Amino acid sequence: MTDISRRSLVGLGLTLPLLSQLSWAGQTPPAATHGGPVQINFNESPWGPCPAARKAMQDGIAQSGRYPYKAQYRLIDLFAEQHGLQADQVQVFCGSKLALQHAVMAFTGPRSLVLAEPSYEAPSDAAQGRGTPVHAIALDAQHAHDVDAMLAADANPGLIYLCNPNNPTGTLTPRRDIERLLARKPAGSVVVVDEAYIHFSDAPSCVELVKEHPELLVLQTFSKLYGMAGARLGLAIGQAPLLQKLEVYDGDNVAPASTLLAGLASLQDPQVAPQRKRDNARLRDHTIAWLGERGWRCTASQANCFMIDLRGPAQPLVERLAQEQVLVGRVWPSWPNWMRVSVGDEADMRRFRAAFAKVTAG
Ligand code: PLP
């Protein structure tokens, strides 16, 4: 069933609270975890869903007896309106990883996948699982994507994946490089710009570029800044014919009611994104400065993770930190001396600093 026909069949019975008007919207909720190990190993949010999203999730329980297509369309419409897009240029997935895996299935096969190294592994894992050739191109000296080398890797790739800011380094690729990639890529090759961490950065999103680029797919997620990794909500943004190629795999699926209502509430809250961006940047930059004062070099992150150059094998240090109840990582095989650290809350980063000082002493 197409989006349009499904839309036309959806009833009008779902009520959505005006969450942006609630007095507690936008306040930073308490940390998601207390006690136990510090979990700064999966680039999750230490704050979890914002208060308005938590309230919306509870409302979603009562509505869970029905397929929540109307909530899905409300979310699509709101995102499209906020970004000056058409509703048919936005598609909902149960996590952006799923959209990424479907993009690999839709656009590669005999044709290759080109991506950076180190970068998020999900696309190469999906490609390798089906025998697709993968060209992994080293980041440049500034830890940006080396767009020219990526273009040179294959004259006719199926998919070129660019993660901005990049996971695991947190580093940005300049907008002019992304635009050059779009201008010079071969016709028929799809570019995926993964913006899972864009909300933490000062960089402009590429979302509006989809209007002029029919072979550009931009991915965003509610898992990171919006703290909804456990609720599973991601968006794919692209022109309708491109999105239809993904729909073959997703079959006009719908996300859970609570998840969709929480996503809506997050987008309606004008304070949550700037506040969390500020808090993350302060905690990240303070930790990186603390490490720098002690001689440890870090990547120039604009995300909620960064990497530390340990100048020797990183994996043993990951294990020693785990013994101190501080979970960090991962280590990428191509960068064996670097360790990724996610940004937690004040208490998490205090415990990280204490443990790091202890395991690197002497
Ligand atoms: N893209 C990148 C770059 C990520 O780092 C992650 C998760 O870590 C994802 C996508 C997956 O996000 P989601 O939780 O929306 O599936």
Side-chain angles (χ1 to χ4, degrees):
M1 186 178 287
T2 68
D3 190 52
I4 299 304
S5 64
R6 174 77 72 176
R7 269 178 187 259
S8 65
L9 291 174
V10 167
L12 298 171
L14 199 64
T15 52
L16 295 167
L18 290 171
L19 289 153
S20 57
Q21 292 169 14
L22 297 176
S23 59
W24 36 262
Q27 290 168 9
T28 300
T33 50
H34 292 286
V38 174
Q39 296 177 54
I40 47 174
N41 53 340
F42 289 136
N43 294 355
E44 297 157 339
S45 168
W47 299 293
C50 68
R54 290 174 193 221
K55 167 74 172 57
M57 283 176 168
Q58 281 167 352
D59 294 342
I61 294 170
Q63 299 177 17
S64 291
R66 308 271 174 200
Y67 292 109
Y69 279 98
K70 182 144 188 280
Q72 185 150 304
Y73 299 146
R74 291 283 301 267
L75 178 72
I76 289 170
D77 289 347
L78 178 62
F79 185 88
E81 186 191 311
Q82 289 180 341
H83 295 273
L85 300 165
Q86 302 297 318
D88 67 1
Q89 293 173 328
V90 183
Q91 199 164 313
V92 168
F93 287 83
C94 293
S96 61
K97 184 178 190 174
L98 195 61
L100 187 49
Q101 290 165 331
H102 289 176
V104 170
M105 289 197 260
F107 305 122
T108 73
R111 294 175 71 186
S112 74
L113 167 71
V114 178
L115 78 176
E117 181 60 45
S119 191
Y120 184 48
E121 310 98 322
S124 51
D125 289 349
Q128 272 152 7
R130 55 206 303 269
T132 294
V134 177
H135 304 286
I137 308 300
L139 294 174
D140 71 14
Q142 281 72 47
H143 303 151
H145 288 67
D146 187 339
V147 160
D148 298 310
M150 290 173 85
L151 282 165
D154 186 343
N156 195 23
L159 194 158
I160 304 172
Y161 173 77
L162 192 147
C163 187
N164 199 42
N166 187 44
N167 177 10
T169 53
T171 46
L172 284 174
T173 297
R175 173 62 160 251
R176 63 179 177 279
D177 290 353
I178 299 175
E179 288 180 359
R180 195 166 69 255
L181 174 66
L182 288 167
R184 297 197 186 161
K185 73 162 189 67
S189 299
V190 172
V191 172
V192 172
V193 177
D194 186 338
E195 296 191 337
Y197 303 97
I198 195 75
H199 312 97
F200 294 110
S201 83
D202 295 328
S205 166
C206 286
V207 155
E208 88 280 3
L209 293 180
V210 305
K211 288 184 252 179
E212 59 205 76
H213 290 285
E215 291 174 333
L216 168 63
L217 193 67
V218 179
L219 305 180
Q220 291 200 353
T221 181
F222 288 78
S223 296
K224 307 300 178 181
L225 179 125
Y226 291 113
M228 287 175 44
R232 314 304 301 130
L233 185 61
L235 298 176
I237 302 103
Q239 293 192 9
L242 198 67
L243 293 182
Q244 275 158 17
K245 291 189 177 146
L246 301 185
E247 205 164 299
V248 173
Y249 301 96
D250 212 38
D252 189 21
N253 220 337
V254 67
S258 292
T259 293
L260 292 162
L261 295 182
L264 263 164
S266 301
L267 292 185
Q268 285 172 328
D269 183 333
Q271 289 165 15
V272 63
Q275 187 178 48
R276 287 178 174 210
K277 181 183 168 189
R278 267 197 308 278
D279 288 345
N280 176 74
R282 178 173 50 78
L283 290 159
R284 179 194 63 215
D285 296 348
H286 177 257
T287 309
I288 289 176
W290 181 91
L291 288 160
E293 284 158 17
R294 285 153 186 80
W296 300 102
R297 182 167 70 114
C298 297
T299 52
S301 173
Q302 287 260 326
N304 70 339
C305 64
F306 59 90
M307 292 189 103
I308 311 172
D309 180 2
L310 296 167
R311 303 188 294 267
Q315 190 56 36
L317 209 80
V318 172
E319 285 157 24
R320 291 194 58 201
L321 285 168
Q323 286 164 9
E324 299 297 321
Q325 300 297 297
V326 175
L327 307 181
V328 299
R330 313 177 287 281
V331 176
W332 266 247
S334 59
W335 280 29
N337 293 351
W338 295 73
M339 174 175 87
R340 189 186 73 180
V341 176
S342 307
V343 179
D345 65 12
E346 295 275 2
D348 291 337
M349 300 323 282
R350 197 177 324 117
R351 283 176 67 186
F352 166 75
R353 291 194 300 276
F356 188 86
K358 183 174 173 188
V359 301
T360 55

